Amino acid sequence: MEEVCDIGNIKFSAVSAGIKGEGLDLGLALFEIPFSFIGLYTRNRIKASHIHYAKKLEGRKIRALFVTSGCANAATGKEGIEDLKRLARMISERTSLKEDEILFASTGVIGKRLPIEKIADSIPFLVDNADPSKLEDFAYAMMTTDTYPKVLKRTFSGKKTYSILGVAKGAGMINPKLATMLCFLFTDYPGKREVLVNPFRAYCRESFEKITVDSETSTNDTVMLFFPEGEIDEKAYSIFTETLKDLMRELALLIVRDGEGATKVIHIKVNGAKTKMAAQEIARRIARSTLVKCAFFGNDPNWGRIIAAVGDTDITIRPERISIKIEGMEVAKGGVETPFDEDELKRKLTSKEVEVEIDLGLGKASYEIYTTDLTYDYVKINASYRS
């Protein structure tokens, strides 16, 4: 069933321009009225051209978002930004939009410039065929190694009924710091940039920054929130923020569940730390351990790999206070193994979602992160990514 955008004033379109070789690879979102936006981007010091371009448009009103997949337009120097300026002129000539009302986002192979001529030939179709019913096509056009489009919708009420749409892509090169590969959130709830920017940053930390597939931070990570500037509906503000926070978390989980080659999602929670920062560092170290991830792929309750990762940080710990549970079953206490039914635990580890809990016994702070197992298919996908 085709997804329909139920937010007035936004239309979508998509087309195959031959950037990826096959499938939809260009997407366009058209706003019939000006929308404000808040953007959060990768902390990787090498940033895609669209990020440099978007930062110069912060605080402006936007009428279009143009997305390309198959080519990251990263590590392309000044030419990569000039290519976006050329595209903005082309889109402006085909529409009534000003060049500085158009945003861009890209994902795909790093180091290649956008195929401008292929894209230029597709602009008329994208503009002329934009429609609220093309939301799912837009989501497909963002995909690279994803196995399914990631689209979520929520509605809530205040003075009127409002909606939030979330569209994301990502399956590999996922270790978001402030963002994910690409995620766009659209709402008809009126807001003010200065009011929403801090909550939005906080929600990113509690969603996209808590997932990792392969500990690789992309050059293109981007999360954007689009909303009409206006007087905030105070009656619905708390409902809006909770709905937005929940939707962002669900989108983040969709990404990690679609991790390249993954067979399961691993929920890692570190409790009993002195500070949240300490809990976060240890949780991230466990989540990025290839040995831990391989053990879970093999349904092997090898808790020794987990405790080894706990100790491989600069955080001060007390080994004799550490306890570990896997799928609710205690496997270690006081830093040593406790008796457990290994066959039963191996059966539990065949689940699509696996929970791991580590208690450091040092304080009350905690941190949770989501990762995947590491499989043969992950290697196959990334060994031939450019082929």
Side-chain angles (χ1 to χ4, degrees):
M1 182 177 177
E2 193 167 43
E3 294 283 359
V4 177
C5 170
D6 52 10
I7 294 179
N9 307 315
I10 306 179
K11 297 178 180 179
F12 298 91
S13 61
V15 71
S16 175
I19 302 174
K20 289 192 299 193
E22 62 179 10
L24 299 171
D25 49 24
L26 288 181
L28 178 66
L30 279 176
F31 307 97
E32 294 184 349
I33 63 171
F35 270 56
S36 293
F37 81 99
I38 301 170
L40 299 176
Y41 312 104
T42 181
R43 290 193 197 132
N44 193 314
R45 291 182 177 83
I46 306 297
K47 292 177 171 58
S49 296
H50 80 257
I51 294 176
H52 295 294
Y53 192 91
K55 285 185 172 184
K56 293 183 178 180
L57 296 181
E58 287 180 355
R60 295 176 184 262
K61 301 290 175 53
I62 296 302
R63 295 283 306 278
L65 170 65
F66 193 86
V67 183
T68 61
S69 65
C71 176
N73 192 19
T76 51
K78 294 180 179 179
E79 289 81 3
I81 297 174
E82 289 301 317
D83 288 340
L84 297 182
K85 291 179 180 179
R86 286 178 60 195
L87 288 174
R89 286 194 295 271
M90 293 176 188
I91 296 169
S92 177
E93 290 169 0
R94 186 72 187 188
T95 64
S96 59
L97 308 185
K98 298 177 182 176
E99 292 176 26
D100 61 3
E101 293 180 315
I102 303 165
L103 278 177
F104 296 92
S106 300
T107 180
V109 178
I110 296 169
K112 301 293 184 182
R113 287 179 62 181
L114 294 170
I116 295 296
E117 299 310 318
K118 288 183 179 180
I119 295 172
D121 290 342
S122 300
I123 289 174
F125 179 89
L126 286 171
V127 172
D128 296 345
N129 289 274
D131 187 90
S133 67
K134 299 297 174 57
L135 171 61
E136 190 169 282
D137 286 349
F138 178 81
Y140 270 105
M142 292 166 53
M143 291 168 46
T144 49
T145 59
D146 306 60
T147 62
Y148 55 80
K150 299 163 182 69
V151 181
L152 292 177
K153 292 192 256 187
R154 298 284 188 274
T155 59
F156 58 98
S157 298
K159 293 178 180 179
K160 53 173 279 190
T161 299
Y162 301 102
S163 296
I164 306 176
L165 300 177
V167 185
K169 68 81 54 182
M173 207 173 189
I174 301 295
N175 188 40
K177 295 178 179 177
L178 282 184
T180 183
M181 285 293 289
L182 292 181
C183 177
F184 307 113
L185 301 142
F186 308 94
T187 184
D188 53 1
Y189 178 82
K192 296 184 182 296
R193 195 175 191 279
E194 62 271 21
V195 173
L196 296 180
V197 64
N198 286 333
F200 187 53
R201 287 181 184 275
Y203 302 157
C204 276
R205 287 193 294 270
E206 294 302 312
S207 56
F208 299 116
E209 202 165 339
K210 284 192 171 184
I211 62 172
T212 179
V213 170
D214 48 19
S215 302
E216 300 290 347
T217 301
S218 170
T219 56
N220 291 52
D221 292 346
T222 299
V223 171
M224 288 178 171
L225 172 65
F226 296 90
F227 57 94
E229 191 87 16
E231 199 63 37
I232 290 176
D233 182 350
E234 296 291 348
K235 183 179 179 181
Y237 180 73
S238 62
I239 303 173
F240 164 67
T241 54
E242 283 302 311
T243 303
L244 179 64
K245 181 179 179 180
D246 177 68
L247 185 143
M248 291 169 69
R249 182 179 181 276
E250 286 302 310
L251 280 172
L253 285 172
L254 284 179
I255 288 169
V256 77
R257 286 173 183 144
D258 196 27
E260 289 176 344
T263 66
K264 64 193 67 172
V265 176
I266 307 160
H267 301 240
I268 298 170
K269 188 170 186 179
V270 174
N271 297 318
K274 286 187 176 180
T275 67
K276 185 175 181 179
M277 188 64 69
Q280 179 180 170
E281 185 170 338
I282 290 174
R284 286 188 176 278
R285 177 62 186 89
I286 299 167
R288 69 173 183 265
S289 167
T290 54
L291 289 178
V292 169
K293 290 157 74 73
C294 287
F296 282 109
F297 173 54
N299 303 321
D300 179 10
N302 189 344
W303 67 271
R305 290 179 173 180
I306 298 171
I307 200 168
V310 170
D312 187 28
T313 72
D314 293 328
I315 303 299
T316 300
I317 59 170
R318 297 281 297 276
E320 69 276 11
R321 294 189 180 184
I322 296 173
S323 63
I324 299 173
K325 292 181 180 179
I326 300 175
E327 280 294 276
M329 187 178 293
E330 188 172 72
V331 295
K333 186 175 182 180
V336 298
E337 184 168 285
T338 57
F340 66 93
D341 188 329
E342 185 158 338
D343 289 336
E344 181 184 352
L345 187 49
K346 283 183 176 180
R347 286 193 294 271
K348 287 177 176 286
L349 290 178
T350 61
S351 300
K352 295 291 185 182
E353 309 264 339
V354 173
E355 293 188 1
V356 178
E357 191 172 344
I358 300 95
D359 196 309
L360 302 177
L362 298 174
K364 297 182 178 179
S366 63
Y367 190 83
E368 190 168 15
I369 194 167
Y370 308 93
T371 189
T372 64
D373 55 350
L374 181 60
T375 71
Y376 306 126
D377 285 341
Y378 177 86
V379 177
K380 290 177 183 177
I381 291 167
N382 286 284
S384 57
Y385 182 70
R386 298 203 313 159
S387 301

